[in-house]
Amino acid sequence: MKQLFLLLISFSIIACSSQKKETLTFAEKMLDLNVAKTKETLKGLSSNDSFPRNIPKSKKDWEFVKVRDWCSGFWPGVLWYAYEYSGDESLKTDAENFTLPIKTIAYSSARNHDIGFMVYCSYGNGYRLTGNEEYKNILLSAADTLATLYNPNVGSILSWPIKKDEYSHNTIIDNMMNLELLFWAAKNGGDKRLYDIAKSHADVTMKNIVRPDSAVYHLGEFNEETGAFIKGHTHQGYADESMWARGQAWGIYGFAIAYRETGKLEYLDTAIKLSDHFLNRLPKDGIPYWDFDDPKIPNAPKDASAAAIAACGMLEISNLVKDVKLKEKYINAAENFVKILSSKEYFSGDTNQALLLHSTGHHPKNSEIDVPIIYADYYYMEALMRLKKMETITSNIAQKSKN
Ligand code: GLY
């Protein structure tokens, strides 16, 4: 029944939209569908202190986690994007409601670097869209909390305090994404030291975790007193020297942001180098396997989330490079990812509550393999919003030149 309903919504949206506006762009069509689906999912949610995380193979509905899970911020983030696109006030209320419980994370002692994902995807988007001063204070506190994990001997944030027995001072590539919170805070009334911490962290990551083969380790292990690099590991990948798809995508996006915030050209060069390696090694259908070096390929699971994150990173790069050909290259690559993700192979349609199928969370732990995962939806929505904004700019320019 629910599926039939969703199908009807999809058809009616496409029908209404084509009346509303003669030519809906590709991004608008997908965003219309995604907003409708998100609103439908919201109807079945009774609590705002549990957050969708994944949908196991045999199920159709989201499985939930509590606020301390590293994925808690992505669902409110999806809601903020849905609100941003649609302007629907009910979605704003829902986004606010699901953002609220994450406040506790900003003030608790930092368990790991994931505080950046949790708080920036929820409160960061909320502040960007509403200018709510309370959100700003929460973001500033979260940045200070994240900075408590910084080790000046190494020059980087301790990403996983809980794994210190296994990996001494560890810094993971994912952590590059959470520097955005520090850069933002330094520009918005926070301690200027946060900028230096973020920059130093990016330098240490670039020097040690980005490998000469243009792939990245997942994790760099350092001596916490001397700062000496001990060893690179690829904890969530196939092998230490393999190329874990999502790690590579975090690197692409993270270094693009670091360049945007600092102007340090080596970060842009790194983002480009990681992107090109990612693009050159893609399989035929354009979406990466969970690890590019899994010997089971082509019978290995895909990771749609890595494609969605890489798309956002490449769109960021396209904003930053001056050369028109390079701009075009990364826009086309990103658009291609988003189009494939929106095709029947990867787009969930009425299969389940998620937007995207086929992500892989932690393969070595046999966890979340080839399933929908909330961060794939979050970055997919972000990529669509970025494309929509670019389409709007292009059509405005075209309109102006006609007039
Ligand atoms: N720890 C974040 C990830 O699994 O990509």
Side-chain angles (χ1 to χ4, degrees):
M1 188 61 202
K2 215 177 189 175
Q3 287 162 26
L4 184 67
F5 181 70
L6 265 174
L7 207 65
L8 286 175
I9 297 186
S10 314
F11 285 135
S12 58
I13 284 170
I14 291 169
C16 296
S17 309
S18 45
Q19 282 164 12
K20 179 173 81 186
K21 204 171 152 190
E22 241 167 59
T23 46
L24 271 190
T25 65
F26 159 74
E28 286 170 335
K29 274 184 210 148
M30 297 319 298
L31 283 161
D32 272 353
L33 286 173
N34 294 348
V35 167
K37 189 163 190 184
T38 302
K39 288 182 76 166
E40 192 54 27
T41 299
L42 277 163
K43 284 188 195 157
L45 302 192
S46 53
S47 149
N48 68 348
D49 68 356
S50 298
F51 303 83
R53 169 150 178 166
N54 60 43
I55 303 183
K57 278 242 183 284
S58 54
K59 304 240 171 98
K60 284 181 165 290
D61 293 350
W62 288 110
E63 296 275 296
F64 295 88
V65 289
K66 291 293 177 194
V67 71
R68 290 179 83 80
D69 186 274
W70 82 273
C71 292
S72 61
F74 294 117
W75 173 245
V78 167
L79 298 179
W80 283 116
Y81 283 130
Y83 163 63
E84 180 179 12
Y85 173 67
S86 65
D88 182 330
E89 288 296 317
S90 74
L91 278 168
K92 182 182 181 199
T93 306
D94 290 314
E96 286 168 342
N97 287 342
F98 278 94
T99 294
L100 194 65
I102 295 173
K103 181 176 177 174
T104 54
I105 302 300
Y107 298 100
S108 17
S109 64
R111 291 163 72 228
N112 53 50
H113 75 103
D114 288 325
I115 182 174
F117 284 116
M118 295 149 99
V119 179
Y120 206 68
C121 297
S122 55
Y123 281 98
N125 280 307
Y127 181 65
R128 181 175 64 80
L129 295 173
T130 66
N132 180 333
E133 279 297 307
E134 199 197 337
Y135 286 9
K136 180 177 180 180
N137 292 333
I138 291 165
L139 284 159
L140 290 172
S141 300
D144 288 340
T145 305
L146 174 58
T148 61
L149 294 176
Y150 180 70
N151 177 336
N153 300 333
V154 184
S156 75
I157 289 165
L158 171 63
S159 303
W160 287 336
I162 199 168
K163 288 209 191 301
K164 252 185 99 191
D165 290 345
E166 200 179 336
Y167 291 129
S168 62
H169 178 96
N170 57 74
T171 288
I172 66 172
I173 191 70
D174 325 24
N175 202 152
M176 281 301 298
M177 294 296 293
N178 294 322
L179 304 182
E180 192 171 13
L181 172 65
L182 303 181
F183 285 128
W184 175 89
K187 285 193 298 202
N188 285 277
D191 192 333
K192 296 285 174 267
R193 194 181 66 101
L194 298 171
Y195 175 95
D196 301 331
I197 289 177
K199 193 154 177 276
S200 170
H201 182 101
D203 287 338
V204 169
T205 304
M206 187 167 63
K207 179 161 177 236
N208 300 289
I209 296 182
V210 176
R211 306 192 310 234
D213 68 352
S214 302
V216 296
Y217 290 118
H218 182 193
L219 179 153
E221 197 184 352
F222 300 85
N223 181 308
E224 66 182 339
E225 265 136 38
T226 65
F229 177 67
I230 300 171
K231 185 173 166 20
H233 302 262
T234 301
H235 182 81
Q236 267 171 251
Y238 171 72
D240 287 342
E241 302 301 322
S242 72
M243 183 164 140
W244 174 47
R246 199 166 52 258
Q248 189 82 4
W250 293 138
I252 292 167
Y253 197 178
F255 279 105
I257 294 168
Y259 172 66
R260 185 190 72 203
E261 296 299 326
T262 62
K264 183 164 175 171
L265 208 53
E266 287 98 316
Y267 297 156
L268 179 62
D269 292 344
T270 302
I272 287 178
K273 180 169 82 170
L274 300 183
S275 295
D276 289 352
H277 198 49
F278 191 90
L279 292 172
N280 290 340
R281 296 197 65 199
L282 284 173
K284 241 201 205 128
D285 87 339
I287 301 297
Y289 291 96
W290 75 283
D291 187 304
F292 284 75
D293 296 298
D294 183 343
K296 291 213 179 83
I297 289 172
N299 299 313
K302 291 294 185 89
D303 185 8
S305 79
I309 296 160
C312 294
M314 290 183 199
L315 288 171
E316 185 65 49
I317 293 173
S318 77
N319 284 334
L320 300 169
V321 291
K322 295 205 171 62
D323 183 280
V324 178
K325 282 224 163 71
L326 268 190
K327 250 187 212 303
E328 250 175 55
K329 171 180 171 176
Y330 294 110
I331 292 173
N332 289 342
E335 205 173 29
N336 203 35
F337 282 130
V338 176
K339 287 202 163 142
I340 301 167
L341 292 174
S342 305
S343 72
K344 69 177 186 345
E345 293 302 319
Y346 292 92
F347 190 66
S348 164
D350 59 4
T351 310
N352 57 45
Q353 286 186 319
L355 305 179
L356 293 182
L357 307 168
H358 305 310
S359 289
T360 294
H362 197 325
H363 193 283
K365 249 180 48 187
N366 206 17
S367 165
E368 299 180 314
I369 297 182
D370 192 18
V371 293
I373 308 182
I374 190 66
Y375 43 81
D377 285 11
Y378 173 85
Y379 289 103
Y380 176 54
M381 283 295 278
E382 178 182 326
L384 284 167
M385 284 303 295
R386 282 174 174 269
L387 286 176
K388 186 202 141 31
K389 286 174 192 169
M390 290 165 73
E391 286 165 351
T392 308
I393 294 169
T394 320
S395 80
N396 286 347
I397 294 170
Q399 193 58 41
K400 268 198 194 133
S401 67
K402 251 200 229 163
N403 296 340

